[in-house]
Amino acid sequence: MTSVTAPSASATVRVPAKVNLELLVGPLREDGYHNLSTVYHAVSLFDEVTVSYADEWGLTVAGPKADGVPTDGTNLAARAAQLLARAGGVDEPVHIKIRKDIPVSGGMAGGSADAAAALVACDHLWGLGLTREALEEIAADLGSDVPFLLAGGTAMGSGRGEVLAPVLARGTYHWVFALSDGGLSTPAVYAECDRLRAGRDVPEPRPSAEMMQALRSGDARLVGEALVNDLQPASISLRPELGDTLEAGMEFGALGGIVSGSGPTVAFLVEGTEAALDLAVSLTASGTVRDVRRATGPAHGAHLVAGPRPD
Ligand code: C5P
């Protein structure tokens, strides 16, 4: 007896958000980017991207964070699918459905996450079977932190953030994220960083021994003390209230606090589940933040979830 397996009509991929535990920014390069030395950490706030065969290319966004996400060809997930189609010699239009839970323009790489998820989903749907290296190369063309969202976990990033290397990191980390109204533009934050540092001699960024040791020890207290983000003064300069949020979180007992990436989301590291709940309640009651989310890290990178999801 022969059995025929019909090709699946859709593929769904789950992808995490990220926070940078360390984000060291070098001088402005001639191509408009900055060399980085960063430690990426994937956390358990997830978007889900479903791709289905369709007569023509299309994209819809659903979920609590859908507002403000472009649904045209400028959406990074749509660009990812089309870039992969060209690379794989595929002529099969797909409809992309994004279920958004990662804050939009929040410094948590939501757009990059959707692009990474679209690559993995389309690779599966079209049966391309590209290697991880091949997917990473396409990912790097889409954005500096897209390769990390494929990989997940905790990893070092260099170059403009797209060159990944493993980090020895132990332990599970508990986070509280303070969300703001409205996003911040990443290029605007980098430009403000350059403006604030004008006339200063900015060294090439190198990973700090302090963060590497803290991650090796798995001690959340040491990781909390080692958190650093060179973009933070720029994000606070553009949004002074972020400074108040950071102060409030530390007063309420966080082990460490940092602006996530280019912001405006503020990330607090706490001792455990109970401390996360306490901090979330205190921040909400203080009225200084619009919304709070709890998550743990590290989380897996973009991965296929079983079966198509109903609407
Ligand atoms: O790579 P991506 O498209 O995500 O970068 C968005 C913008 O952020 C860039 O156009 C640039 O202004 C800034 N950026 C930078 N240096 C990096 C990464 C991003 O200046 N390493």
Side-chain angles (χ1 to χ4, degrees):
M1 208 169 86
T2 54
S3 80
V4 178
T5 312
S8 163
S10 68
T12 298
V13 168
R14 205 167 186 228
V15 65
K18 64 90 187 156
V19 56
N20 301 74
L21 306 179
E22 174 165 281
L23 179 48
L24 306 176
V25 179
L28 179 64
R29 305 192 321 199
E30 276 186 3
D31 64 0
Y33 284 89
H34 300 73
N35 279 340
L36 304 182
S37 176
T38 190
V39 179
Y40 291 113
H41 182 68
V43 295
S44 62
L45 296 180
F46 297 103
D47 280 359
E48 272 187 15
V49 174
T50 300
V51 296
S52 321
Y53 286 117
D55 292 335
E56 53 186 44
W57 293 90
L59 185 140
T60 49
V61 187
K65 302 281 178 291
D67 279 359
V69 181
T71 54
D72 58 10
T74 63
N75 185 296
L76 207 53
R79 284 175 44 204
Q82 303 216 359
L83 201 57
L84 185 65
R86 271 204 297 284
V90 173
D91 188 15
E92 299 268 15
V94 292
H95 185 88
I96 302 172
K97 184 171 164 192
I98 303 174
R99 193 178 287 268
K100 270 224 89 61
D101 195 33
I102 302 175
V104 178
S105 301
M108 301 193 74
S112 300
D114 297 343
L119 288 180
V120 174
C122 289
D123 178 62
H124 181 78
L125 187 73
W126 293 328
L128 295 176
L130 291 191
T131 60
R132 183 43 62 114
E133 290 72 29
L135 283 179
E136 265 181 21
E137 222 169 280
I138 298 172
D141 282 344
L142 288 159
S144 307
D145 44 19
V146 183
F148 173 69
L149 277 313
L150 285 176
T154 305
M156 283 283 312
S158 60
R160 58 184 168 83
E162 86 285 17
V163 182
L164 299 179
V167 166
L168 181 56
R170 293 196 174 86
T172 299
Y173 298 92
H174 295 259
W175 296 94
V176 175
F177 294 100
L179 276 45
S180 290
D181 275 324
L184 268 175
S185 141
T186 303
V189 174
Y190 273 99
E192 179 67 359
C193 177
D194 291 334
R195 194 186 69 79
L196 292 175
R197 305 195 301 191
R200 247 190 277 163
D201 194 20
V202 179
E204 279 302 319
R206 302 260 173 272
S208 76
E210 193 192 355
M211 179 56 82
M212 292 300 125
Q213 277 160 13
L215 287 169
R216 257 201 308 277
S217 75
D219 185 336
R221 194 165 291 277
L222 295 180
V223 174
E225 284 167 12
L227 295 173
V228 56
N229 180 359
D230 281 352
L231 291 180
Q232 184 164 301
S235 309
I236 294 176
S237 164
L238 296 174
R239 287 279 184 87
E241 65 272 23
L242 297 183
D244 304 334
T245 303
L246 275 164
E247 227 169 81
M250 296 310 290
E251 265 168 33
F252 293 139
L255 301 177
I258 198 169
V259 169
S260 180
S262 54
T265 303
V266 176
F268 293 107
L269 185 59
V270 294
E271 198 90 58
T273 316
E274 223 171 285
L277 194 55
D278 286 348
L279 179 58
V281 169
S282 302
L283 282 172
T284 308
S286 74
T288 52
V289 300
R290 177 174 59 76
D291 198 6
V292 236
R293 301 292 306 277
R294 287 175 287 142
T296 59
H300 289 298
H303 58 283
L304 205 66
V305 289
R309 275 176 68 101
D311 276 348

